[in-house]
Short mmCIF file of all heavy atoms in Angstrom, two decimals:
data_model
loop_
_atom_site.label_atom_id
_atom_site.label_comp_id
_atom_site.label_asym_id
_atom_site.label_seq_id
_atom_site.Cartn_x
_atom_site.Cartn_y
_atom_site.Cartn_z
N HIS A 1 0.84 -1.19 0.04
CA HIS A 1 0.01 -0.01 -0.01
C HIS A 1 0.84 1.27 0.00
O HIS A 1 1.63 1.47 0.92
CB HIS A 1 -0.91 0.02 1.22
CG HIS A 1 -1.77 -1.22 1.35
ND1 HIS A 1 -2.43 -1.77 0.29
CD2 HIS A 1 -2.05 -2.02 2.39
CE1 HIS A 1 -3.10 -2.84 0.69
NE2 HIS A 1 -2.89 -2.99 1.93
N LEU A 2 0.79 2.01 -1.07
CA LEU A 2 1.54 3.26 -1.17
C LEU A 2 0.87 4.39 -0.41
O LEU A 2 1.48 5.28 0.11
CB LEU A 2 1.76 3.64 -2.62
CG LEU A 2 2.43 2.60 -3.47
CD1 LEU A 2 2.44 2.99 -4.90
CD2 LEU A 2 3.83 2.33 -2.99
N ASN A 3 -0.45 4.39 -0.48
CA ASN A 3 -1.28 5.29 0.38
C ASN A 3 -2.64 4.60 0.58
O ASN A 3 -2.76 3.39 0.45
CB ASN A 3 -1.38 6.73 -0.21
CG ASN A 3 -2.16 6.71 -1.49
OD1 ASN A 3 -2.75 5.71 -1.94
ND2 ASN A 3 -2.23 7.91 -2.11
N ARG A 4 -3.68 5.35 0.90
CA ARG A 4 -4.97 4.75 1.21
C ARG A 4 -5.54 3.99 0.07
O ARG A 4 -6.30 3.04 0.24
CB ARG A 4 -5.96 5.81 1.69
CG ARG A 4 -5.68 6.34 3.09
CD ARG A 4 -6.79 7.29 3.49
NE ARG A 4 -6.86 8.43 2.58
CZ ARG A 4 -7.94 9.21 2.40
NH1 ARG A 4 -9.03 8.95 3.04
NH2 ARG A 4 -7.89 10.24 1.57
N PHE A 5 -5.22 4.42 -1.19
CA PHE A 5 -5.92 3.89 -2.33
C PHE A 5 -5.05 3.27 -3.38
O PHE A 5 -5.51 2.39 -4.15
CB PHE A 5 -6.78 5.00 -2.99
CG PHE A 5 -7.79 5.65 -2.04
CD1 PHE A 5 -7.66 6.96 -1.67
CD2 PHE A 5 -8.77 4.92 -1.48
CE1 PHE A 5 -8.52 7.57 -0.77
CE2 PHE A 5 -9.69 5.45 -0.63
CZ PHE A 5 -9.54 6.81 -0.26
N PHE A 6 -3.75 3.66 -3.45
CA PHE A 6 -2.88 3.11 -4.45
C PHE A 6 -1.92 2.10 -3.87
O PHE A 6 -1.43 2.25 -2.76
CB PHE A 6 -2.05 4.24 -5.12
CG PHE A 6 -2.80 5.11 -6.06
CD1 PHE A 6 -3.37 6.29 -5.62
CD2 PHE A 6 -3.03 4.72 -7.37
CE1 PHE A 6 -4.11 7.12 -6.51
CE2 PHE A 6 -3.73 5.51 -8.23
CZ PHE A 6 -4.29 6.70 -7.79
N SER A 7 -1.66 0.98 -4.64
CA SER A 7 -0.79 -0.06 -4.16
C SER A 7 0.12 -0.53 -5.30
O SER A 7 -0.24 -0.43 -6.49
CB SER A 7 -1.60 -1.27 -3.72
OG SER A 7 -2.39 -0.98 -2.59
N LEU A 8 1.30 -1.00 -4.93
CA LEU A 8 2.20 -1.66 -5.85
C LEU A 8 1.92 -3.13 -5.82
O LEU A 8 1.86 -3.75 -4.68
CB LEU A 8 3.66 -1.40 -5.44
CG LEU A 8 4.73 -2.13 -6.25
CD1 LEU A 8 4.85 -1.61 -7.66
CD2 LEU A 8 6.09 -2.01 -5.50
N ASN A 9 1.78 -3.80 -6.93
CA ASN A 9 1.48 -5.23 -7.02
C ASN A 9 2.60 -5.98 -7.68
O ASN A 9 3.05 -5.63 -8.75
CB ASN A 9 0.19 -5.45 -7.82
CG ASN A 9 -0.12 -6.89 -8.08
OD1 ASN A 9 0.06 -7.42 -9.18
ND2 ASN A 9 -0.49 -7.62 -7.02
N VAL A 10 3.09 -7.03 -6.97
CA VAL A 10 4.11 -7.92 -7.55
C VAL A 10 3.50 -9.30 -7.50
O VAL A 10 3.04 -9.79 -6.45
CB VAL A 10 5.41 -7.92 -6.73
CG1 VAL A 10 6.40 -8.93 -7.31
CG2 VAL A 10 6.01 -6.52 -6.71
N ASP A 11 3.41 -9.96 -8.71
CA ASP A 11 2.59 -11.20 -8.84
C ASP A 11 3.44 -12.27 -9.58
O ASP A 11 4.11 -11.93 -10.53
CB ASP A 11 1.35 -10.84 -9.60
CG ASP A 11 0.37 -12.05 -9.69
OD1 ASP A 11 0.53 -12.87 -10.67
OD2 ASP A 11 -0.51 -12.18 -8.85
N ASP A 12 3.32 -13.50 -9.10
CA ASP A 12 3.99 -14.62 -9.74
C ASP A 12 2.93 -15.69 -10.04
O ASP A 12 2.20 -16.11 -9.15
CB ASP A 12 5.05 -15.19 -8.80
CG ASP A 12 5.83 -16.33 -9.42
OD1 ASP A 12 5.90 -16.41 -10.62
OD2 ASP A 12 6.33 -17.23 -8.62
N GLU A 13 2.79 -16.06 -11.29
CA GLU A 13 1.76 -16.94 -11.75
C GLU A 13 2.23 -18.06 -12.64
O GLU A 13 3.06 -17.84 -13.48
CB GLU A 13 0.64 -16.13 -12.47
CG GLU A 13 -0.49 -16.92 -13.06
CD GLU A 13 -1.51 -16.08 -13.79
OE1 GLU A 13 -2.05 -15.13 -13.11
OE2 GLU A 13 -1.70 -16.30 -14.99
N ILE A 14 1.70 -19.29 -12.47
CA ILE A 14 1.97 -20.43 -13.34
C ILE A 14 0.62 -20.88 -13.97
O ILE A 14 -0.32 -21.15 -13.25
CB ILE A 14 2.65 -21.54 -12.56
CG1 ILE A 14 3.99 -21.14 -12.05
CG2 ILE A 14 2.80 -22.80 -13.51
CD1 ILE A 14 4.71 -22.22 -11.25
N GLN A 15 0.57 -20.89 -15.27
CA GLN A 15 -0.59 -21.37 -16.00
C GLN A 15 -0.42 -22.83 -16.38
O GLN A 15 0.64 -23.33 -16.61
CB GLN A 15 -0.85 -20.52 -17.24
CG GLN A 15 -1.11 -19.07 -16.91
CD GLN A 15 -1.21 -18.22 -18.18
OE1 GLN A 15 -1.02 -18.71 -19.31
NE2 GLN A 15 -1.56 -16.95 -17.99
N VAL A 16 -1.57 -23.51 -16.56
CA VAL A 16 -1.60 -24.92 -17.00
C VAL A 16 -2.52 -25.05 -18.18
O VAL A 16 -3.72 -24.81 -18.10
CB VAL A 16 -2.06 -25.83 -15.84
CG1 VAL A 16 -2.14 -27.31 -16.33
CG2 VAL A 16 -1.15 -25.73 -14.64
N TRP A 17 -1.94 -25.42 -19.36
CA TRP A 17 -2.68 -25.69 -20.54
C TRP A 17 -2.61 -27.19 -20.81
O TRP A 17 -1.64 -27.73 -21.35
CB TRP A 17 -2.03 -24.97 -21.77
CG TRP A 17 -1.94 -23.48 -21.63
CD1 TRP A 17 -1.31 -22.76 -20.64
CD2 TRP A 17 -2.45 -22.53 -22.54
NE1 TRP A 17 -1.42 -21.41 -20.89
CE2 TRP A 17 -2.12 -21.22 -22.08
CE3 TRP A 17 -3.17 -22.58 -23.74
CZ2 TRP A 17 -2.46 -20.08 -22.74
CZ3 TRP A 17 -3.51 -21.43 -24.41
CH2 TRP A 17 -3.17 -20.15 -23.89
N ARG A 18 -3.61 -27.93 -20.36
CA ARG A 18 -3.58 -29.42 -20.35
C ARG A 18 -3.68 -29.90 -21.78
O ARG A 18 -4.40 -29.45 -22.64
CB ARG A 18 -4.69 -30.00 -19.51
CG ARG A 18 -4.58 -29.67 -18.05
CD ARG A 18 -5.62 -30.39 -17.24
NE ARG A 18 -5.39 -31.82 -17.21
CZ ARG A 18 -6.11 -32.72 -17.84
NH1 ARG A 18 -7.19 -32.34 -18.54
NH2 ARG A 18 -5.84 -34.02 -17.75
N LYS A 19 -2.83 -30.94 -22.08
CA LYS A 19 -2.80 -31.66 -23.35
C LYS A 19 -2.78 -30.74 -24.55
O LYS A 19 -3.49 -30.83 -25.50
CB LYS A 19 -4.01 -32.58 -23.49
CG LYS A 19 -4.09 -33.68 -22.39
CD LYS A 19 -5.31 -34.54 -22.53
CE LYS A 19 -5.33 -35.62 -21.44
NZ LYS A 19 -6.50 -36.50 -21.58
N PHE A 20 -1.84 -29.73 -24.43
CA PHE A 20 -1.72 -28.74 -25.46
C PHE A 20 -1.21 -29.32 -26.76
O PHE A 20 -1.66 -29.02 -27.85
CB PHE A 20 -0.84 -27.59 -24.97
CG PHE A 20 -0.74 -26.45 -25.98
CD1 PHE A 20 -1.73 -25.46 -26.02
CD2 PHE A 20 0.33 -26.35 -26.89
CE1 PHE A 20 -1.67 -24.40 -26.97
CE2 PHE A 20 0.43 -25.32 -27.75
CZ PHE A 20 -0.55 -24.33 -27.81
N PHE A 21 -0.14 -30.16 -26.67
CA PHE A 21 0.49 -30.69 -27.84
C PHE A 21 -0.21 -32.00 -28.27
O PHE A 21 -0.90 -32.66 -27.53
CB PHE A 21 1.94 -30.98 -27.58
CG PHE A 21 2.74 -29.72 -27.32
CD1 PHE A 21 3.07 -29.38 -25.97
CD2 PHE A 21 3.17 -28.90 -28.32
CE1 PHE A 21 3.76 -28.20 -25.70
CE2 PHE A 21 3.84 -27.70 -28.03
CZ PHE A 21 4.16 -27.37 -26.75
N GLN A 22 0.01 -32.43 -29.54
CA GLN A 22 -0.60 -33.64 -30.08
C GLN A 22 -0.33 -34.87 -29.27
O GLN A 22 -1.22 -35.72 -29.09
CB GLN A 22 -0.17 -33.83 -31.50
CG GLN A 22 -0.81 -34.98 -32.25
CD GLN A 22 -0.28 -35.19 -33.63
OE1 GLN A 22 0.77 -34.63 -33.97
NE2 GLN A 22 -1.01 -35.90 -34.47
N HIS A 23 0.93 -34.97 -28.72
CA HIS A 23 1.23 -36.15 -27.90
C HIS A 23 0.76 -36.10 -26.49
O HIS A 23 1.08 -36.93 -25.71
CB HIS A 23 2.79 -36.33 -27.96
CG HIS A 23 3.56 -35.13 -27.61
ND1 HIS A 23 3.61 -34.58 -26.35
CD2 HIS A 23 4.34 -34.32 -28.42
CE1 HIS A 23 4.38 -33.50 -26.37
NE2 HIS A 23 4.84 -33.31 -27.65
N GLY A 24 0.02 -35.04 -26.19
CA GLY A 24 -0.63 -34.94 -24.85
C GLY A 24 0.11 -34.19 -23.77
O GLY A 24 -0.32 -34.09 -22.65
N SER A 25 1.26 -33.62 -24.12
CA SER A 25 2.06 -32.90 -23.09
C SER A 25 1.34 -31.65 -22.71
O SER A 25 0.60 -30.99 -23.52
CB SER A 25 3.44 -32.56 -23.67
OG SER A 25 4.18 -33.71 -23.90
N THR A 26 1.53 -31.21 -21.48
CA THR A 26 0.93 -30.00 -20.91
C THR A 26 1.84 -28.82 -21.03
O THR A 26 3.07 -28.94 -20.80
CB THR A 26 0.52 -30.22 -19.46
OG1 THR A 26 -0.46 -31.26 -19.39
CG2 THR A 26 0.00 -29.01 -18.83
N LEU A 27 1.29 -27.67 -21.37
CA LEU A 27 2.08 -26.42 -21.46
C LEU A 27 1.96 -25.67 -20.14
O LEU A 27 0.82 -25.56 -19.63
CB LEU A 27 1.52 -25.56 -22.63
CG LEU A 27 2.43 -24.39 -23.12
CD1 LEU A 27 3.69 -24.95 -23.76
CD2 LEU A 27 1.60 -23.57 -24.12
N THR A 28 3.09 -25.29 -19.52
CA THR A 28 3.00 -24.60 -18.24
C THR A 28 3.79 -23.25 -18.27
O THR A 28 4.84 -23.13 -17.65
CB THR A 28 3.55 -25.48 -17.14
OG1 THR A 28 4.90 -25.89 -17.48
CG2 THR A 28 2.70 -26.74 -16.93
N PRO A 29 3.29 -22.28 -18.98
CA PRO A 29 3.96 -20.95 -19.01
C PRO A 29 3.81 -20.27 -17.62
O PRO A 29 2.89 -20.58 -16.85
CB PRO A 29 3.21 -20.16 -20.09
CG PRO A 29 1.85 -20.83 -20.10
CD PRO A 29 2.07 -22.25 -19.82
N SER A 30 4.69 -19.35 -17.35
CA SER A 30 4.65 -18.61 -16.10
C SER A 30 4.96 -17.15 -16.33
O SER A 30 5.47 -16.74 -17.38
CB SER A 30 5.62 -19.16 -15.07
OG SER A 30 6.97 -19.11 -15.55
N ALA A 31 4.66 -16.32 -15.35
CA ALA A 31 4.83 -14.88 -15.49
C ALA A 31 5.13 -14.24 -14.17
O ALA A 31 4.59 -14.58 -13.17
CB ALA A 31 3.59 -14.23 -16.10
N ILE A 32 6.05 -13.27 -14.22
CA ILE A 32 6.36 -12.44 -13.07
C ILE A 32 5.99 -11.03 -13.43
O ILE A 32 6.44 -10.44 -14.46
CB ILE A 32 7.83 -12.49 -12.70
CG1 ILE A 32 8.24 -13.88 -12.28
CG2 ILE A 32 8.16 -11.48 -11.59
CD1 ILE A 32 9.73 -14.09 -12.06
N SER A 33 5.00 -10.42 -12.69
CA SER A 33 4.43 -9.16 -13.08
C SER A 33 4.58 -8.09 -12.00
O SER A 33 4.57 -8.39 -10.82
CB SER A 33 2.92 -9.38 -13.39
OG SER A 33 2.73 -10.47 -14.29
N VAL A 34 4.68 -6.83 -12.46
CA VAL A 34 4.68 -5.69 -11.56
C VAL A 34 3.70 -4.65 -12.09
O VAL A 34 3.78 -4.28 -13.28
CB VAL A 34 6.12 -5.10 -11.42
CG1 VAL A 34 6.10 -3.88 -10.52
CG2 VAL A 34 7.09 -6.13 -10.98
N GLY A 35 2.83 -4.20 -11.20
CA GLY A 35 1.84 -3.20 -11.63
C GLY A 35 1.43 -2.30 -10.47
O GLY A 35 1.90 -2.39 -9.37
N VAL A 36 0.48 -1.41 -10.79
CA VAL A 36 -0.06 -0.48 -9.82
C VAL A 36 -1.56 -0.59 -9.79
O VAL A 36 -2.18 -0.75 -10.88
CB VAL A 36 0.30 0.98 -10.13
CG1 VAL A 36 -0.30 1.96 -9.15
CG2 VAL A 36 1.89 1.15 -10.09
N SER A 37 -2.20 -0.54 -8.65
CA SER A 37 -3.64 -0.71 -8.55
C SER A 37 -4.23 0.46 -7.76
O SER A 37 -3.55 1.10 -6.96
CB SER A 37 -4.01 -2.04 -7.91
OG SER A 37 -3.53 -2.12 -6.60
N HIS A 38 -5.51 0.64 -7.94
CA HIS A 38 -6.28 1.64 -7.20
C HIS A 38 -7.44 1.00 -6.56
O HIS A 38 -8.22 0.24 -7.22
CB HIS A 38 -6.75 2.78 -8.12
CG HIS A 38 -7.48 3.93 -7.37
ND1 HIS A 38 -8.81 3.82 -7.05
CD2 HIS A 38 -7.03 5.08 -6.94
CE1 HIS A 38 -9.19 4.92 -6.43
NE2 HIS A 38 -8.11 5.71 -6.36
N THR A 39 -7.65 1.22 -5.28
CA THR A 39 -8.79 0.61 -4.57
C THR A 39 -9.87 1.63 -4.25
O THR A 39 -9.56 2.71 -3.67
CB THR A 39 -8.33 -0.08 -3.22
OG1 THR A 39 -7.39 -1.10 -3.53
CG2 THR A 39 -9.52 -0.67 -2.46
N PHE A 40 -11.09 1.35 -4.64
CA PHE A 40 -12.22 2.16 -4.39
C PHE A 40 -12.93 1.62 -3.12
O PHE A 40 -13.28 0.45 -3.12
CB PHE A 40 -13.22 2.14 -5.55
CG PHE A 40 -12.62 2.67 -6.85
CD1 PHE A 40 -12.05 1.78 -7.75
CD2 PHE A 40 -12.65 4.00 -7.15
CE1 PHE A 40 -11.51 2.17 -8.93
CE2 PHE A 40 -12.09 4.48 -8.33
CZ PHE A 40 -11.54 3.55 -9.24
N GLY A 41 -13.14 2.48 -2.16
CA GLY A 41 -13.93 2.06 -0.96
C GLY A 41 -13.10 1.23 0.03
O GLY A 41 -13.39 0.05 0.24
#
């Protein structure tokens, strides 16, 4: 929380795409993200 309403967001996510390839292998991309958010109320 930077102040009452604005925040810095750091997020780590792993996605799962089941049986993406023809031979049935699963795709598991991931992401590290940084953003800013505003909270109302």
Side-chain angles (χ1 to χ4, degrees):
H1 304 316
L2 303 175
N3 67 5
R4 288 183 300 159
F5 304 114
F6 287 95
S7 298
L8 173 71
N9 173 252
V10 179
D11 186 272
D12 182 26
E13 176 180 303
I14 297 177
Q15 298 174 354
V16 178
W17 302 57
R18 296 188 67 250
K19 298 181 179 180
F20 183 83
F21 298 101
Q22 183 181 18
H23 49 72
S25 295
T26 295
L27 195 66
T28 56
S30 60
I32 297 172
S33 309
V34 179
V36 176
S37 64
H38 183 278
T39 297
F40 301 92

